[in-house]
Amino acid sequence: MDFRWEQEYLEFRDELVGFLRAWRTPELLAEYDRGEGTPGPAMRSFYEALDARGWMRMCWPVEYGGEGRDPLYRFIFIETMEYWGMPYGDLTFTSVAPTLIAFGSETQKKKYLPGIFKGEVRFALGYSEPNAGTDLASLRTQAMRAGDDWIIQGQKIWTSLAESSTHIWLAARTNPDGPKHQGISVFIVPVDAEGVSIRPLHTMSGLRTNETFYDGVRVPAENLVGPVDGGWNIVMYALNFERVGLAAVGDLAREFDLFVAYLKERRPELLDDPVTRTRLAELKVDLHRQRALATRNAHAIASGGIGIGEASMAKVHGSELRYRFSNTAMDLLGRYGALSEESGALAPIDGGMELTWRMSPILRFGGGTNEVQRTIIATRHLGMPR
Amino acid sequence: MDLELTETQTIFRDTIRKFLEEEVPFSRVRELEKQQRSDEALWATLGAQGWLGVALPEEADEGGLIEAGLLVEEVQRRAALVPVAEAISCAVTLQRHGSRERAPELVERILSGEMTVVPAILESVDRFGEVAAEVNDDGLLSGEKFFVDYASIATHHLVAAQCRGAVGLYLVDRGQSQIETTSTPTLGRTPAAHVRYQNASAEQLCGEDGHAFLIQFARVLCAVQALSCMQVALEMSVAYTSIREQFGQLIGTFQAVQHHAADMAIDTESTRFLVYETLDALDRGEASEEQVAVAKAAASRAVPEVVMLAQQLHGGQGFIEENDLYFFTLRGKERSLAWGTTEECLALIGRSVEAPERWL
Ligand SMILES: Cc1cc2nc3c(=O)[nH]c(=O)nc-3n(C[C@H](O)[C@H](O)[C@H](O)COP(=O)(O)OP(=O)(O)OC[C@H]3O[C@@H](n4cnc5c(N)ncnc54)[C@H](O)[C@@H]3O)c2cc1C
């Protein structure tokens, strides 16, 4: 055993950190914070600089603009970006693009990938339906063949970012008769296609998401991704990429550091209290546990394994920790801990803990609910009887 | 011993519940919340119809602190934006510890809703024992108070301040220009403010004992509010998992879901007992600071766990503001922090762990 990172990884990390220090301007952070979906000028030039270095796609095959590096680079990249709270492309970049590379036709790759690099093509993910959440395979939105086209009819829910996207990455039923996993296909649906409508849903985290409706939406056959009825594997592949970011420890580690720095500067009497120190120590142990699980998962993937159990463990522990961490931090801050960003200078860390607490449910039930993840750990990882 | 509500108490609870269900649709609370306002119409009705008086009845068997708890719990079930807990804690404090000449009249005016009085205790550092606000020899009060709930709609604040080192409670008319309130939006979305007093005229109504009692009583009522949020979150979760289907079956039939609900029930039931037991003891003048801290620590610790499990069992549905769950999630955590966090209460309990405990 040798737990040390090889020199080349550390060099990459240092280079990336140096780059981020230079680019992490207040304008960029303000723009990113507003989270409007369509990048503004500061974010556009940042993405350009990032793209010029090829870091977002360095693990992709050379023929699609990548460098074919091993997935541990991707892990370091994501962890570092998360720690510094910098944008690194949303799910279009982290999930749709690699899935297109794996399953898309040559025409699709030529048509969409360059636009994805430039931020001109942006996808919203249309998987969930009102009656197909955890049980995603029972989705009912239908796509019917009509000559050279497909006609789509149905409803999706939680189609986040649809309002600022150019396309929807849609899972639809193409075979209502067979086993449910074997009758699903993936389509690329332009948001402005006739028959697509969007209704906003406002969440308690402040994030907007949407219901999307498809009323006789016609798309050409070339918008089908992969084989007819072969969409389930594609969706699972894309979801795996989506989950890589979920288990990251980086942003929690940053919040921990910010929290301690805040206490040191503004509430020294709290930091002197041995109880506070014990709570912080407990959180620190948990952060290291998360680092262990996330690193193990990345290593399993890089070694060519599937890492199903590892991914689930990191996802469950990371999302539970997000709640526990923000909950404890708020308790330590007392009522100050509940002040939201609108309270201005009074709010500790700009209301960061309160916001993390409010957002924490998403990751516990999103990306595969923790209940189902635990079942996966028990059955697929531990081999317990089903 | 009788662990059930009396018949009168049950009728009282059911009547107020029915009244509030009709009077306060959640859509109205949403609207007020957006405008950062309180429910002035409901507040006027509660006063005019005499609901507030239940804590201080003329006859001992017509009410008391248990009834006050029931009222606070029911109001919280509707997430209603009215300072019931605040006003009742001030009224009871004045009645028990206020100046003999002034208290009876003031209590009556508070309970009829004519005056709205809210406590203003906490200062820049979140500790209840420390009072820096000062009253000078001319009876003018200066200082800052944080997290004053409903500060801007109250007609008066009951302010903890010291005069020549002696701590007391002072009635301050909010109408004076010597008072500046700045709203401090919080997670719970109930109106709260930071208040600055600069030579505000103030009238002393209680001494140190009143100050101490107010904190204890407000702390238990706050635990009642937390309990109420847990109770509703639990009920909503049981109802939702009994109608939502995935994989061709009700999600409430999955063991993982049932175990979460069972944990929520354990938290809620144990908290309910401790909180009402403490109210009962407080009513009889027998509650120690430690007993109050145990009840609040139990509530403060349990409420975020319960509301977050409710979120988990609701999946995406519970996360949108069209669903009513968020009221209880956000208000619940806010109440967990108000009037003594888990950590503060644990510290209090920890100080006296070696004192012999009467377990029976
Ligand atoms: C803010 C937000 C953004 C989102 N963005 C997107 C998006 O962009 N695209 C998209 O397609 N989706 C999106 N989602 C949807 C998200 O992935 C779903 O909410 C998630 O899959 C859970 O489904 P559900 O909400 O229907 O919950 P349900 O499936 O109804 O689950 C409710 C509860 O039942 C439990 N349960 C269900 N089945 C079992 C079982 N077999 N065993 C034990 N327990 C079980 C769950 O664990 C959970 O606790 C988003 C959701 C939110 C809230």
Side-chain angles (χ1 to χ4, degrees), chain A residues 130 279 327 335-336 343 371, chain B residues 124 126 244 333-334 343:
Chain A
R279 295 287 176 267
N327 201 52
R335 276 200 87 177
Y336 286 90
S343 285
E371 289 66 41
Chain B
S124 64
D126 219 352
R244 168 76 171 167
K333 179 63 187 174
E334 175 85 36
E343 297 294 345

Side-chain angles (χ1 to χ4, degrees), chain B residues 114-254:
Chain B
E114 183 198 332
M115 268 170 97
T116 305
V117 186
V118 301
I121 309 290
L122 274 183
E123 301 193 349
S124 64
V125 167
D126 219 352
R127 287 210 198 109
F128 289 91
E130 292 169 17
V131 179
E134 244 184 325
V135 175
N136 66 17
D137 290 339
D138 300 327
L140 299 177
L141 187 150
S142 299
E144 299 187 79
K145 295 289 172 181
F146 285 80
F147 312 112
V148 183
D149 292 307
Y150 297 95
S152 317
I153 62 133
T155 58
H156 297 75
H157 296 173
L158 194 58
V159 185
Q162 50 152 321
C163 184
R164 299 183 180 181
V167 174
L169 293 175
Y170 292 78
L171 189 69
V172 174
D173 187 330
R174 196 184 56 83
Q176 351 175 14
S177 60
Q178 289 80 358
I179 300 180
E180 190 192 322
T181 58
T182 316
S183 145
T184 48
T186 74
L187 172 78
R189 302 189 188 174
T190 50
H194 165 222
V195 187
R196 211 184 285 277
Y197 307 87
Q198 214 144 30
N199 289 322
S201 20
E203 175 190 3
Q204 180 167 13
L205 294 178
C206 306
E208 176 63 64
D209 53 343
H211 175 240
F213 177 82
L214 175 62
I215 292 169
Q216 298 306 303
F217 186 36
R219 183 167 286 168
V220 189
L221 288 184
C222 185
V224 171
Q225 292 172 314
L227 168 68
S228 179
C229 293
M230 292 158 69
Q231 182 74 45
V232 179
L234 172 61
E235 288 170 17
M236 287 181 75
S237 301
V238 171
Y240 183 71
T241 56
S242 305
I243 54 164
R244 168 76 171 167
E245 283 186 24
Q246 286 288 277
F247 304 97
Q249 61 192 97
L250 295 171
I251 60 173
T253 59
F254 294 122

Side-chain angles (χ1 to χ4, degrees), chain B residues 341-356:
Chain B
T341 60
T342 305
E343 297 294 345
E344 290 170 62
C345 293
L346 290 180
L348 259 165
I349 299 160
R351 248 177 256 152
S352 56
V353 275
E354 67 276 47

Side-chain angles (χ1 to χ4, degrees), chain A residues 130-131 133-135 158 199 202-204 279 323 327 331 334-336 338 340 343 354 357 362 364 371, chain B residues 124 126 147 149 184-187 244 246-247 260 304-305 308 312 316 319-322 333-334 337 343:
Chain A
N131 290 311
T134 305
D135 182 15
W158 321 119
R199 184 177 89 90
H202 299 285
T203 73
M204 70 177 206
R279 295 287 176 267
Y323 158 66
N327 201 52
D331 283 353
R335 276 200 87 177
Y336 286 90
S340 45
S343 285
E354 179 269 326
W357 192 89
I362 307 180
R364 279 171 111 186
E371 289 66 41
Chain B
S124 64
D126 219 352
F147 312 112
D149 292 307
T184 48
T186 74
L187 172 78
R244 168 76 171 167
Q246 286 288 277
F247 304 97
H260 282 328
E305 301 297 325
M308 280 300 188
Q312 182 67 6
F319 203 59
I320 46 176
E321 296 194 350
E322 286 171 31
K333 179 63 187 174
E334 175 85 36
L337 300 179
E343 297 294 345

Side-chain angles (χ1 to χ4, degrees), chain A residues 125-130 132-135 157-160 203 207 209 362 365-372, chain B residues 240 244 246-247 251 254 256-257 312-317 319:
Chain A
L125 304 179
Y127 303 134
S128 306
E129 294 181 7
T134 305
D135 182 15
I157 191 170
W158 321 119
T159 325
S160 306
T203 73
L207 284 180
T209 177
I362 307 180
F365 65 70
T369 75
N370 283 1
E371 289 66 41
V372 171
Chain B
Y240 183 71
R244 168 76 171 167
Q246 286 288 277
F247 304 97
I251 60 173
F254 294 122
V257 169
Q312 182 67 6
L313 296 185
H314 280 75
Q317 274 307 323
F319 203 59

